[in-house]
């Protein structure tokens, strides 16, 4: 285990998660990818370990890991199965929305089931016409009786097909830009008016299913997270957390790729020598190890600020931007070291690359991370 700062109890739990990842998740990862099996196949076993509540405090029946320990846990899961990590971290986006934006009653109603893994969450922000710019969303929530009618559509929403609850972001004041956005709990299995399309066929993370959703549904007013108009800020704070988890997924997969390259370089013989003897290859491994260490150092900077009340949008953007781009280079070098074998499905390298590609796009593209960083510099 990498030496991240954490308590002895956290270290023991992360070691247990690493064993689970190696023994349960890793052996099924290729099948999940090959057959596009929804990673919820692991849901019961993950729930038993408490994984769905890793980010939630004990008062909500969660485990309440610190930022660094949560990072280590997500990294271990992603290193074994990227799809499973993506399914889990999408659930964290939903529960973080409640933690950061909802009142105590709504938290008490939804979070214990979410922590137990009996209730799966989805985070419904992105729309066909509003991806990088969510303030421009078209979904509306209009007052109707003692509640709201939500109308509109969302796309690329992880977990939606199995979700027990969704946090849906919608405009309560369409003329107020970001300040007109509010967030709502929608429980699609309990109400009419939520239509979920078949999951998208994606390049990677094939078990981390994403869906389009159409809404024409009514929810009671107590399903609104906090006050009307606070939804955009909640979503942005959630994404500050989520981007650290994307960095964790990236470094988890990058480490798996680097380890595969090291093993292969020691075994593969050319002209009577293991290819690890050649300096050109050693330098590739050295560059990858350096970039992995740098990505983790940036991520730890953000992870240690998580939950402190300090805003860390720039640190979180540094972490996601660097880790997602470095992980791509690390996995690409690892595939190159494997030569033609790396390009086949007999080895996991091509899956690692396919799984990594989305990290430069979702939860804010690399370009959006640069925008956030630049705004911080120029403010
Ligand atoms: C690039 C953006 C950050 C820019 O957003 P805007 O320019 O539209 O908004 P701002 O004017 O910056 O802010 C409006 C308002 O919000 C407050 N704010 C902004 N950021 C934060 C924050 N991090 N913490 C707290 N508050 C924040 C800001 O102070 C303003 O407040 P006042 O109105 O002045 O009071 C944004 O557009 C952006 O992040 N874009 C990327 C969107 C994105 O990442 N989408 C990903 C969706 S989820 C996904 O991809 C996967 C989902 S899954 O797997 O299912």
């Amino acid at each position: 285990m990498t030496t991240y700062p954490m308590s002895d109890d956290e270290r023991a739990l992360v070691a247990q998660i690493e064993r689970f990842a190696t023994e349960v998740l890793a052996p099924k990862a290729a099948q999940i990818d090959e057959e596009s099996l929804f990673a919820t196949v692991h849901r019961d076993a993950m729930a038993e370990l408490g994984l769905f509540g890793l980010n939630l405090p004990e008062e909500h029946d969660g485990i309440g890991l610190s930022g660094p320990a949560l990072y280590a846990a997500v990294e271990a899961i992603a290193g074994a199965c990227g799809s499973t990590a993506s399914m889990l971290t999408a659930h964290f986006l939903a529960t973080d929305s409640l933690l950061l934006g909802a009142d105590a009653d709504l938290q008490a109603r939804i979070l214990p089931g979410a922590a137990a893994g009996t209730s799966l969450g989805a985070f419904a922000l992105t729309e066909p016409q509003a991806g990088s710019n969510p303030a421009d969303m078209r979904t509306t929530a209009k007052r109707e009786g003692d509640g709201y009618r939500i109308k509109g559509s969302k796309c690329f929403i992880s977990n939606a097909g199995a979700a027990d609850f969704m946090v849906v972001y919608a405009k309560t004041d369409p003329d107020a830009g970001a300040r007109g956005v509010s967030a709502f709990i929608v429980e699609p299995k309990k109400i009419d008016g939520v239509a979920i399309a078949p999951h998208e066929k994606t390049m990677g993370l094939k078990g981390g299913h994403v869906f389009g959703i159409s809404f024409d549904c009514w929810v009671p007013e107590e399903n609104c997270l906090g006050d009307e108009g606070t939804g955009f800020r909640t979503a942005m704070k959630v994404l500050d957390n989520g981007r650290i988890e994307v960095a964790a997924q990236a470094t988890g997969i990058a480490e798996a790729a680097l380890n595969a390259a090291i093993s292969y370089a020691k075994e593969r013989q050319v002209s009577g020598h293991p290819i690890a003897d050649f300096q050109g290859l050693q330098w590739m491994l050295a560059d990858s190890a350096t970039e992995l260490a740098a990505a983790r150092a940036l991520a730890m900077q953000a992870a240690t600020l998580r939950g402190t009340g300090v805003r860390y949008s720039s640190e979180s953007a540094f972490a996601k931007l660097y880790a997602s781009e470095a992980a791509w280079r690390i996995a690409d070098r690892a595939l190159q070291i494997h030569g033609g074998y790396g390009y086949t499905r007999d080895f996991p390298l091509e899956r690692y690359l396919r799984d990594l590609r989305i990290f430069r796009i979702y939860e804010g593209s690399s370009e959006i991370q640069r925008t956030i960083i630049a705004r911080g510099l120029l403010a």
Side-chain angles (χ1 to χ4, degrees), residues 193-197 212-216:
V194 184
I196 303 168
I213 317 171
S214 311
F215 298 94
D216 184 352

Side-chain angles (χ1 to χ4, degrees), residues 185-196:
I185 291 295
V186 171
E187 294 168 284
K189 294 177 182 170
K190 293 186 182 167
I191 60 170
D192 292 330
V194 184
I196 303 168

